[in-house]
Amino acid sequence: MSGQNHRLANSGSIDRSAPLKFQFDGQQYEGYKGDTLASALLANGVHLVGRSFKYHRPRGIMSAGSEEPNALIQLGDGNRTDPNLRATRIELRDGLVAASQNRWPCLKFDVGSVNNLLHRFFPAGFYYKTFMWPASWWLKYEHWIRRAAGLGKAPQGRDPDRYEKTHRHCDVLIVGGGPAGLAAALAAGRTGARVILVDEGTLLGGSLWSDLDCTIDGAPGLDWVRATVAELQAMPEVTLLIRTTATGYYDHNYLTLLERITDHLGTAPDHLPRQRLWKIRAKRVVLAAGAIERPLVFANNDRPGIMLASAARTYMNRFAVTPGRRVLVLTNNDDAYRTALAMHAQGVRIAGLVDLRAQPKGPLVAAAAAAGIAVHPGQAVVATRGALRVSSVEIMKLTADGAGVTGSARKIECDAVAMSGGWTPTVHMFSQSGGKLRWSEDVSAFVPDLSVQAETSVGSCNGAVSLVKCLKQGLKAGIEAARATGYKGRVTAAPNVGEPPQSDRRDLWVVPGKKPLGHAGKHFVDFQNDVTAADVHLAAREGYQSIEHLKRYTTMGMGTDQGKTSNINALAIMGEVLGANVPGADVSRVGHTTFRPPYTPATIGAYAGRNIGAFFDPVRTTAMDFWHREAGAKFEHVGQWMRAWYYPKPGESLRQAVDREVKAARDGVGILDATTLGKIDIQGPDAAEFLNRVYTNVWLKLAPGRARYGLMLKEDGMVMDDGVTARLSENRFHMTTTTGGAAGVLDWLEEWRQTEWPDLKVYITSVTEQWAVASICGPDCRTLLAELCPDIDLANDAFPFMSVREGTVAGIAARVFRISFTGELSFEINVPRRHGLALWQAMMEAGEKYDICPYGTEAMHVLRAEKGFIIVGQETDGTVTPSDLCMDWIVSKTKVDFVGKRALARRDIVSADRKRLVGLLTEDPNEVLPEGAQIVEAVQPEPPMAMIGHVTSSYYSPSCGRSIAMALVKGGPTRIGETLSIPLAGKTIRAVVTEPRFFDLDGERANG
Amino acid sequence: MYRQLRQPGSSNREWAMNTPVNSGGNSGMRGLRGGKQRYSILSLARNALSHHENWQRAWRAPELKPAYDVVIVGAGGHGLATAYYLASRHGIRNIAVIDKGWLGGGNTGRNTTIIRSNYLWDESAAIYEHSMKLWEGLSQELNFNTMFSQRGVLTLAHSEHELREMTRRVEAIRLNGIDSDVLNPAQIKQTVPIIDTDPRLRYPVMGGFIQRRGGTARHDAVAWGYARAADDMGVDIIQNCAVTGFLIQDGVVKGVETEKGTVRAGKVACVVAGHAGVVADMAGFRLPITSRPLQALVSEPIKPILDVVIMSNAVHMYVSQSDKGEIVLGAGADAYNGYTQRGSLTVPEGMLAAAVELFPVFSRLQMLRSWGGIVDTCPDASPVISKTPVSNLYFNCGWGTGGFKATPGSGHVFADLIARDAPNKIAAPFTLDRFSGGYLIDEHGAAGVAH
Amino acid sequence: MVEKVGPTPPGLDPTPLDRVIGPIGGPAEAGVVLSERRHWGKLVLRGEPDDKKFITGATKALGVAPPSKPNTAATIQSTAIIWTAPNEWLVVSEPGTEAALESALESALAGTHHAITNVSDHSTIIRLSGTAARAVLAKGCAIDLHPRVFGVGQSAQTNLAKAQVIFRQFDEMPSYDILVRASFAPYLWAWLTDAGLEFGVRVEG
Amino acid sequence: MLLIDCPWCGPRDDEEFHYGGEAHILRPRDAAALSDEAFADYLFMQQNPKGPHLERWSHNHGCRRWFNMLRNTATNEILEIYPMGEKPKTEAGQAAYAANWRRETAAEKNALSGEGS
Ligand SMILES: Cc1cc2nc3c(=O)[nH]c(=O)nc-3n(C[C@H](O)[C@H](O)[C@H](O)COP(=O)(O)OP(=O)(O)OC[C@H]3O[C@@H](n4cnc5c(N)ncnc54)[C@H](O)[C@@H]3O)c2cc1C
Ligand SMILES: NC(=O)c1ccc[n+]([C@@H]2O[C@H](COP(=O)([O-])OP(=O)(O)OC[C@H]3O[C@@H](n4cnc5c(N)ncnc54)[C@H](O)[C@@H]3O)[C@@H](O)[C@H]2O)c1
Ligand SMILES: Cc1cc2nc3c(=O)[nH]c(=O)nc-3n(C[C@H](O)[C@H](O)[C@H](O)COP(=O)(O)O)c2cc1C
Ligand SMILES: [Zn+2]
């Protein structure tokens, strides 16, 4: 294969010594190191690279940067495939495999292009007007719409690559490594400030890589770039990041940068992430993001081979590729002359230079004439031809006002068109920062106006057109930013610059065609989403005149390019339409759609970073976890904790295991890992007063050594947490909270202490993990404990129920609480975490003769339910008061105040009609109600049915030999004795309302 | 005073489900009733022949008149629907809907479009199901394709606790007569092949329930459809005109001050979502509402891979794929008040990690755009549809993170409240007096993410 | 059936990381060196900084004044007193010394409003050292660790990945001692190892 | 992502903080005497301005201290940070404070009542 037939013999900064092979749509090609996929395809004469979103029109490469709307590629295959990548941003590497998208069966012949034939029926927003009949068919229509939409394909499996994130702080962050950004970095870097400079490209220097006609201090601009980069690289506090896009600008100078680390390497070394998201907090930001050239909106301006003039120049000068052999240039400004001249100098034939301006003048125009280029001033391209690539254009003379064309058309053969409609400053990051834009007549685009964050825009993103201005602004902003962050330095004079001058532009937002707009050919505005100038007119006609309505109605600017090349054209056209109809309306009043992160599409995996898989959410385990695991426990997640759920013996079901565990706890001795309960050390002379205010019951008189159960309410009176708190000494308490509530309660206590009661002398410290806790219960537990605990008298009167003692257990210093969540005689043994496993093992060993049985959270739930003890989060859901739980006994009537008190007296809270806690006994004792099941008074043949409550807890109770349940039911205790129904899908269960207590009603067992 | 007494003890149940959708007359109406050009495949073809140059405006750009029977503040979906139902169901047509920006530009234009009615509490189920029934004929009624797509909303459970809460909700939904199917992990995998159902996940998919009648709609189209149909009946939609104050005499509202001058009105109805607090402040009272950023984002468009809407509370994310092909993702609101329509990066970071955790194939897709809205949340995550301390001034707000789905129902019952100066049975539980009485309709306790 | 003790070095009490750390060793030129500091004593000391009696008492018992400057740690021999809040310090001392220190503090502070809580087991210490230590922390920690801003003697309470930590820098290497709750330690260890991947990780005993 | 200057620890990302809603809400001293409406006002009716907002934050992943802050909710600009129990000092802060309909801090309240604890 002849191969790179559009590669120029010399020039360019590609590495000709490193040829690379790659594949596009199954065909083999060759390019060089330093190429992008786009430049390599062009080098091989390939322009047709994709099909448009809606009409499936053939499309070619339009730009040389990240603004590319057309050349969207499916890269790679298998689990490493990436949809929708821009060919202009893909660095060529050996063995690269790329494919076009959104076409079937192939790019050259795409069935979807019937849409183009039927285009008349598909104006903007057509789907809002149809597909409504019959109503039930929408899902069918939609199925096909969905299949037709979308662009590339998602991979089918897990991403084999890793992504990382990092934080970084700096004094000055500079976005953009063109001349303006480099100048800023140089000025700031020389002061010693911490500088980060990012550029999304692979080379620093920005447009200087294509604008070879510029000199700095008498030498080629690129010499200055090389020297500057070398100086910056030598500065220890300067970080230069290439292949890195500034994606987001958030509040308080927080920016995200997405660095592509391994994509260009082909195969990535294992230790490196594919991409890294940098999260930067910058003291000052300098935005030097450059400008993007605008296409011209003329009839059928979308054929492959039609590209931006600056892109053509970039392909020539940087990649040594010519987009064609006979190139037509179409422009409304001087800049495209540079492209024409550069091509001409390389021996590329300029088929003509069509200039929309009636009388272009100036040195560039003169140079073109001198070079023998045929300049056609005051002319317009009115039509283009060529099925899969442009083959000719027709030009006609523009009327004086530019609104129409006159005379006869002239055909010019060409195989590429380079167009220039002016430049749009890249204000994305500025606008994301919250900065306000202003319409500039100088550049016919929006430029930064009011900054709201510590940021400065410089260079062509700030509306500067000349290189010298870009350098000056950069140097000034760099030094000012460094000074503002405390460094010293002087503004250095800008170097001497040699550059072609620029004269006036002529904005013709729609280049007139031979027929009225929309009657012949399509004037594309948004190339990716197939939005035409006629669509903009249609939207205006139908009342979608706000720029935001225009966007949403036509999808203008909503593609993967976010309208980088189209927004200004679209809103200017809208401005013109409105200007004609509404007095005073013009472009600046139309405004711009909102700029949002990311600047260019950014890999989702990078934003997830390592916070997936094992790092998605920490799993917390107790000191005894290893033992539970070895014992074959099944686990349950409670908050972030892993708790032993039950310990099945071989062949046992959940129910069998739990029955056994419950029985053991009631009849012998059971042991539970209760470590996860929250624990808080509360100290100070006002500790008791403090508790008195946060709990509903009274605390002042609790004697040291004694413990009490407490209920905490939110200020709205709803139950928030519960637990036992013990008074260790006059001024010291040990509070326990629920497992899930631990962090919240600690914060809650601090909040009240610091904000409402700053005068209380109390210190609060979390000790949740200081202690490992083994809770033992059952008739034999006292004897067992006595064996291991020589120094505490465990007798009922020496160590009564609801008290705490300190001593040693199995030789370990311990805090022992005599409290019970099972209703049995029970001790909770707290030891420092390091001894948790040893304590557990000692208990198991000593308990062997009592058939000690470890029980998990499920058995714990059954045990407490048999006793009617509530669980916050199960019997409660944030809407339940103590009275709803029939726990009025714990709410002090005498205390003047506690958190939540007043709320309990509100009229709907004291209503007799509230749902309150009851027990439920199913008619069939073996029937276990599903937790969450809804209760009705009367079953109807069909829903709807009036619900009066729901089952909060439900188990088979081995101790009662039947099922038991707790429920919140309207009227609660007033219904005791009534039979209610629980209609489930398929059957209805009937149950009798009882007290919510099922076992050991007189509470004797806790005494052993 | 603004207490509309709801009898304590009166059951909200019996009436809830069967209130006819078209109460107020004109039931069974279809299409437009004013002089507007109808949309259809035929009109599309006809217009194609004239190069689409003869399409009429979807809505006029009228001058603000000095007085209206009803002024509605806020041209979001809810405000426009209110105007539409006032005009179509109550015959009140001398209405202005005034918006400070472009119509539909508030949360209506920036939400993740999830529609469902499978709420826990009866009161919520009633209003969202009322809404669902209206959705089911909405495109035809408005003669505007809102692309209401009943592709199903699947809510996942990832722990024993969530399974229990799921049962509670599923049973309540079922007994309220609303559709709901429980799915096991295998069935979930079948429905959503790209989901990771590995039981070793940190938050394994343990089950879920699907409301098949739930789904999505094209959010902008909803605003436009209502706007066009309301305009068709003579409603004036005034854009780019902020309401800056109220005319109040002896506790009765007489009109509003706007950027374009004073407008007198018999009644004023505010439907300003995130700005409810600000607007109530102008009228001299406060609402139990905080306004916070809520963020969402979309990926680049890709060929279909996700046909149902997925919601997951534990990993904190919800996701669907739009007809254009983007993956649409959302999560919870930011933690602090704000009107910036942007939030902290932490939230998107969290939702994207959650998304990749559940859907590993998302990792290599690219985020295209992320944005925020201003959501108005009540302490109980339920809305306010109510009279206020000022007579003839009504508020509809507090829909927070989940009011898009309620658009038709909310507008429908609000119109009724305005027309009759009294809430109907569906609206009654949502009056302001619940905050003093304490009968809140707490939808975050058990129902999880409120979308 | 159950192994009596875990892979805890004989004669020592288990730590939260004993079963997590895995084999000791790694490349000599690793940019990241990790180890666990076993069972160092940790006391939370509370008292009002403007209470002269408290400050003198604490200074006497500790041998050095508890730092009043936020984000710093005072050290005396191997003991570090880390500022954690305006009326709160964390005293980290050699394993086994905490009980004596606690009673010394108690007696020196008698009569003042203060609180001492032994939290030696509440958290453990992961020592992170090496040329890439700063870069590893930066992957999960949002505060500025540049040597111009954060140097030897400084400390911070902040988030590291998804764990809450207190860390202090104690040499120019840089090296950090990171205090993390016991139950988050396995997560954090795994996270640090993962974050160190690109620099090479060596684990020390 | 806000950068909040903790009065103790210095500037930190908002992730480390807990937002505590409106500042200076007066907790009723004699709540029993309040009507349900007045109590609801205390409980639920928070200021929700678009503009300067006096609010409470706690540095709960750092030093766990609460403090007050004046932040413009329309721009996220942080205008002032001042200790719990004190009033704002900036002009904007004082204006916001004056606009609040229940402006009293706990300390002020205690001073008013003349009691200690
Ligand atoms: C990111 C995000 C995702 C969401 N996802 C879902 C979802 O999946 N499902 C769901 O059901 N809901 C969702 N919601 C919530 C839903 O969007 C809203 O509840 C709903 O759209 C509110 O509609 P609205 O008409 O009341 O308000 P808006 O659409 O916000 O309209 C209020 C209007 O009032 C105007 N206004 C304000 N102040 C003034 C003034 N002074 N004068 C004149 N006009 C004024 C505004 O300009 C605005 O146009 C989401 C919200 C967000 C932000
Ligand atoms: N009218 C005009 O604006 C115009 C026309 C033609 C040539 N020029 C010339 O172009 C040059 C402009 O210099 P300059 O420095 O302002 O711009 P530049 O275009 O040279 O450099 C901007 C750089 O910013 C990078 N960038 C943009 N957004 C980014 C992001 N979000 N993240 C990372 N990198 C990003 C780009 O990759 C580019 O390298 C001057 O020489 C000027 O004369 C200007
Ligand atoms: C369901 C849905 C789908 C969207 N799809 C796209 C899209 O394909 N392309 C795009 O640019 N934005 C898309 N957006 C985002 C909007 O462009 C816009 O960001 C959002 O409506 C908020 O408005 P704002 O960014 O102008 O404030 C979508 C938004 C929603 C709600
Ligand atoms: Zn702090």
Side-chain angles (χ1 to χ4, degrees), chain C residues 65-84:
Chain C
S68 58
K69 192 162 175 246
N71 304 328
T72 62
T75 50
I76 173 162
Q77 280 129 24
S78 52
T79 304
I81 299 101
I82 305 172
W83 181 97
T84 50

Side-chain angles (χ1 to χ4, degrees), chain A residues 53 79-82 84-85 102 120-121 123 127-133 135 138-139 142 146-152 155-159 161 163 165 249-251 254 256 274 279 432 453 518-519 538 541-546 548-549 551-553 558-560 562 594 596-598 601-605 607-608 611-613 616-619 636-637 640 645 873-874 877 879 906-909 913 931-932 934 943-947 950 983-985, chain B residues 3 6 8-9 13 17-18 38-41 44-45 48-49 51-53 55-59 102-103 109-110 120-122 139-140 143-145 147-151 160-161 164-165 167-168 171-172 174-177 196 202-203 218 220-221 224 239 299-307 315 321-325 341-343 345 349 352-354 356-357 360-372 433 435-439 442 445:
Chain A
F53 192 85
N79 290 344
R80 278 206 165 94
T81 188
D82 298 294
N84 305 346
L85 296 189
N102 204 34
R120 275 200 171 187
F121 301 99
Y127 28 77
Y128 302 124
K129 297 182 172 126
T130 183
F131 300 129
M132 285 182 271
W133 304 273
W138 170 244
L139 275 177
E142 197 184 27
R146 285 168 82 83
R147 302 246 324 226
L151 287 168
Q156 299 202 327
R158 192 175 288 275
D159 188 346
D161 288 324
Y163 301 84
K165 300 196 238 187
Y249 198 143
Y250 301 85
D251 285 319
Y254 191 77
T256 48
R274 176 184 180 222
K279 300 189 273 186
Q432 280 187 35
Q453 301 207 33
H519 289 228
L538 174 67
R541 189 175 304 129
E542 293 195 277
Y544 300 90
Q545 296 176 343
S546 148
E548 297 288 356
H549 284 152
K551 160 182 157 177
R552 288 160 170 80
Y553 190 60
M558 295 182 82
T560 66
Q562 292 284 287
T594 309
R596 294 285 193 182
T603 316
I604 283 176
Y607 283 76
N611 291 338
I612 52 171
F616 183 64
D617 191 22
V619 175
E636 163 178 50
H637 283 288
Q640 289 176 312
W645 186 17
Q874 186 157 343
D877 59 7
T879 69
R906 291 175 297 163
R907 60 179 175 274
D908 289 339
I909 302 300
D913 193 41
E931 286 174 349
Q934 298 286 340
M945 291 178 228
M947 289 165 266
H950 76 281
L984 301 173
Chain B
R3 198 157 327 114
R6 184 167 41 77
R13 281 295 303 92
M17 288 305 127
N18 294 322
R38 283 179 52 84
Y39 292 157
S40 70
I41 188 86
L44 198 62
L49 301 178
H51 303 282
H52 301 288
E53 279 162 3
W55 286 109
Q56 294 173 355
R57 294 183 67 114
W59 48 79
W102 40 285
L103 70 86
R110 54 189 68 240
L120 174 68
W121 301 106
D122 299 344
S139 295
Q140 289 69 29
N143 180 237
F144 201 100
N145 192 350
M147 306 191 187
F148 174 54
S149 170
Q150 296 184 296
R151 50 186 57 258
E160 291 295 324
H161 176 77
R164 182 161 59 231
E165 292 304 332
T167 309
R168 179 177 174 196
E171 291 301 325
R174 198 173 52 80
L175 292 180
N176 269 327
D196 189 351
R202 176 67 178 84
Y203 291 98
R218 173 91 180 95
D220 294 322
W224 300 339
Q239 304 184 66
S299 76
E300 291 184 340
I302 44 156
K303 294 289 173 199
I305 52 170
L306 184 61
D307 282 336
V315 305
Q321 184 171 15
S322 82
D323 284 352
K324 245 184 88 206
Q341 293 199 339
R342 55 197 260 163
L345 177 69
E349 278 183 293
L352 290 173
V356 175
E357 182 73 1
V361 304
F362 287 179
S363 175
R364 289 184 97 85
L365 303 184
Q366 310 215 66
M367 162 163 63
L368 173 60
R369 188 173 171 101
S370 68
W371 66 92
D433 75 314
F435 295 97
S436 46
Y439 189 92
D442 195 329

Side-chain angles (χ1 to χ4, degrees), chain A residues 65-66 89 174-183 197-209 211 214 241 243-248 256-258 260 287-293 310 313 318 333 335 338 420 422-426 428-429 432 443 458-471 473 497 499-500 502 505 564 598-600:
Chain A
S66 61
R89 274 284 170 234
I174 298 160
V175 177
L182 285 174
L197 177 130
V198 288
D199 197 289
E200 56 172 347
T202 53
L203 294 169
L204 293 174
S207 48
L208 289 178
W209 286 94
D211 296 350
C214 294
L241 294 170
R243 299 190 178 88
T244 305
T245 308
T247 51
T256 48
L257 318 176
L258 185 61
R260 292 169 292 277
L287 298 174
I292 294 172
E293 197 170 16
S310 63
R313 188 154 85 233
R318 175 164 172 189
N333 64 68
D335 193 68
R338 298 166 76 179
S420 178
W423 294 75
T424 305
T426 305
H428 297 64
M429 300 306 280
Q432 280 187 35
V443 293
V458 297
S460 51
C461 75
N462 191 37
V465 176
S466 66
L467 173 58
V468 68
K469 252 196 182 163
C470 293
L471 291 170
Q473 291 184 356
V497 173
E499 59 181 320
Q502 303 261 346
R505 210 180 38 254
K564 289 189 179 65
Y599 172 64
T600 52

Side-chain angles (χ1 to χ4, degrees), chain A residues 91-108:
Chain A
E91 288 178 56
L92 199 67
R93 53 171 200 257
D94 208 37
L96 179 144
V97 177
S100 57
Q101 307 184 144
N102 204 34
R103 80 296 189 258
W104 185 84
C106 72
L107 188 55
K108 288 204 171 121

Side-chain angles (χ1 to χ4, degrees), chain A residues 213-236:
Chain A
D213 48 3
C214 294
T215 59
I216 300 179
D217 281 336
L222 286 178
D223 287 2
W224 177 85
V225 170
R226 291 194 188 95
T228 303
V229 171
E231 184 176 346
L232 289 169
Q233 274 167 340
M235 295 178 184

Side-chain angles (χ1 to χ4, degrees), chain C residues 12-87:
Chain C
L12 298 183
D13 293 325
T15 74
L17 289 175
D18 275 339
R19 290 172 192 283
V20 177
I21 287 183
I24 305 294
E29 70 287 4
V32 179
V33 182
L34 289 171
S35 62
E36 187 187 16
R37 312 266 95 200
R38 307 182 69 88
H39 300 306
W40 277 58
K42 293 161 214 105
L43 301 177
V44 170
L45 172 64
R46 306 290 305 260
E48 296 309 312
D50 48 12
D51 176 352
K52 278 217 180 71
K53 254 182 92 187
F54 168 80
I55 292 293
T56 27
T59 309
K60 197 179 114 215
L62 296 167
V64 60
S68 58
K69 192 162 175 246
N71 304 328
T72 62
T75 50
I76 173 162
Q77 280 129 24
S78 52
T79 304
I81 299 101
I82 305 172
W83 181 97
T84 50
N87 57 12

